[in-house]
Amino acid sequence: AQTVTQSQPEMSVQEAETVTLSCTYDTSESDYYLFWYKQPPSRQMILVIRQEAYKQQNATENRFSVNFQKAAKSFSLKISDSQLGDAAMYFCAYRSLNTGKLIFGQGTTLQVKP
Amino acid sequence: DTEVTQTPKHLVMGMTNKKSLKCEQHMGHRAMYWYKQKAKKPPELMFVYSYEKLSINESVPSRFSPECPNSSLLNLHLHALQPEDSALYLCASSQGTRSSFADTQYFGPGTRLTVL
């Protein structure tokens, strides 16, 4: 069975600074998808970024980028130029292509300080 | 447009009540999901519908009854719930193409359920 681990329950960053959220996963599958979702206090789960395992190039979406290390089974999220609106709980998620299930990590709460 | 809508936003019910949660999407997605989320925890998958057919039931108690009347609509019927069922119930949808599960789930804002 696949597992996803986020080892940082809470993180904080100064506004305009850069922060990296960690995620590791365990799987025996060779092909899969990885996601970062953001859930602000208003609770809507929003997709931040997605990475296909077969792609070596790291995904980027504006100020958000990932460092995908397939061999190490690591998938960290870097947020550049942090903004107050980035404050939220961030979930790393693994999607099995076999079962279709989305497996979430425990989440990291990000605080952005003005 | 990646909008999934859910109604109601909040629901308070007694243990003997019957109520329903509603989820709707108009993105042409053919897979729809129900998740349960406790505070500060990740969502837990409950049910998956693919092409209006129930494809996954994660051993959810029968007091939760899902229904998918058409490809745009997903309901969750609630009956004889327990206080521990109080949680945020999230609906999600994805393209759900038959050839691949490699599609992204888009979530609704959720229904905050309180069982007294």
Side-chain angles (χ1 to χ4, degrees), chain A residues 76-107:
Chain A
S76 61
L77 174 70
K78 185 172 83 171
I79 306 174
S80 304
D81 185 27
S82 297
Q83 301 175 0
L84 295 177
D86 295 334
M89 179 165 270
Y90 286 80
F91 291 101
C92 177
Y94 171 103
R95 186 173 174 99
S96 167
L97 268 65
N98 291 327
T99 67
K101 292 184 181 181
L102 196 59
I103 300 161
F104 289 91
Q106 290 300 304

Side-chain angles (χ1 to χ4, degrees), chain A residues 37 39 44 50 95 101, chain B residues 37 58 101 104-105 107:
Chain A
Y37 282 92
Q39 189 174 35
Q44 176 124 28
R50 147 182 166 153
R95 186 173 174 99
K101 292 184 181 181
Chain B
Q37 187 181 25
E58 292 287 278
F101 283 101
T104 301
Q105 291 185 27
F107 287 81

